[in-house]
Amino acid sequence: MGLPRDTFRILHVSTGNVCRSPITERLTRHFVLQRLGVLGGGLVVESAGTWGHEGAPMEAHAETVLAEYGADASGFTGRELLDEHVIRADLVLTATRDHRAQVISMGHSAGLRTFTLKEFTRLVNAIDPATLPPLEDGLVMRARALVRAAAALRGWLLAPTAEADEVHDPYGAPLTFFRAVGDEIHQALDPVVTALTGVPART
């Protein structure tokens, strides 16, 4: 790991770290790569689970969903969420409100940088991209500003319903449900990656 200011770490958190958070991790990488042509600029994207299956492979249906997006599912192993993961993360995006509460309860001043994925999307959609540093100033600087802006809006932009901020667990479900979850994650990630990179998705 380089100097803390040289990197921006996004940590995706779900329960087992074999379904939702691996999909979210690999789709984030894939979409950044699509926008910028490179996964770099100090951006590190990783995942872990609150009841993580340490060393476990990704669920086969999750791999299938990633393949359908053209994303790389190779070389993945599940991880149990540890203090060090939260300490190092600049942004923690969780599948559910329960996961968010668990991360925040670990301490490490995690409250201001921990959101559910869908909550973060809602906040990001309310931020004027013109108020963020240009990408020329570096992806890390832009990403840090985005998290600060989202945290500042949190008390003002509440979820329309409690369910609105949840991505449900597809573990053990058929492929059709995994595909629905993959689509949900894709829809939530798209504005976030656009805000991070300053580059909209190609239509």
Side-chain angles (χ1 to χ4, degrees):
M1 187 174 117
L3 294 169
R5 305 305 297 183
D6 294 340
T7 57
F8 185 87
R9 286 179 178 269
I10 301 175
L11 176 66
H12 293 295
V13 175
S14 62
T15 304
N17 192 215
V18 290
C19 299
R20 288 168 292 181
S21 50
I23 291 173
T24 317
E25 173 198 319
R26 295 304 175 95
L27 282 183
T28 303
R29 291 185 190 180
H30 180 63
F31 295 145
V32 170
L33 199 58
Q34 279 186 329
R35 306 288 212 282
L36 300 180
V38 63
L39 183 66
L43 184 67
V44 179
V45 186
E46 49 197 0
S47 62
T50 53
W51 290 88
H53 299 290
E54 189 72 35
M58 193 186 306
E59 279 290 293
H61 287 340
E63 287 196 3
T64 300
V65 167
L66 286 172
E68 289 172 352
Y69 280 100
D72 182 13
S74 65
F76 182 86
T77 51
R79 301 193 305 175
E80 176 82 42
L81 180 67
L82 302 175
D83 287 294
E84 68 191 61
H85 300 146
V86 176
I87 291 165
R88 292 188 313 190
D90 298 287
L91 171 62
V92 184
L93 296 176
T94 69
T96 69
R97 290 165 297 146
D98 279 350
H99 296 133
R100 182 183 64 195
Q102 284 176 269
V103 171
I104 292 170
S105 74
M106 293 170 76
H108 316 302
S109 307
L112 287 174
R113 52 198 165 90
T114 303
F115 308 80
T116 75
L117 171 62
K118 288 185 171 180
E119 172 192 21
F120 193 65
T121 304
R122 186 173 68 251
L123 299 171
V124 163
N125 281 332
I127 295 165
D128 179 358
T131 62
L132 299 172
L135 195 59
E136 294 75 56
D137 291 355
L139 189 61
V140 169
M141 188 179 286
R142 186 179 174 94
R144 290 185 193 283
L146 184 66
V147 173
R148 284 195 301 271
L153 281 174
R154 181 147 45 189
W156 301 94
L157 275 180
L158 302 178
T161 65
E163 283 292 294
D165 283 345
E166 307 278 290
V167 176
H168 293 294
D169 192 357
Y171 187 76
L175 180 57
T176 48
F177 192 81
F178 270 80
R179 283 190 176 122
V181 167
D183 183 56
E184 221 177 316
I185 290 169
H186 169 220
Q187 298 297 331
L189 276 178
D190 189 63
V192 172
V193 175
T194 297
L196 273 175
T197 61
V199 181
R202 291 195 296 270
T203 50

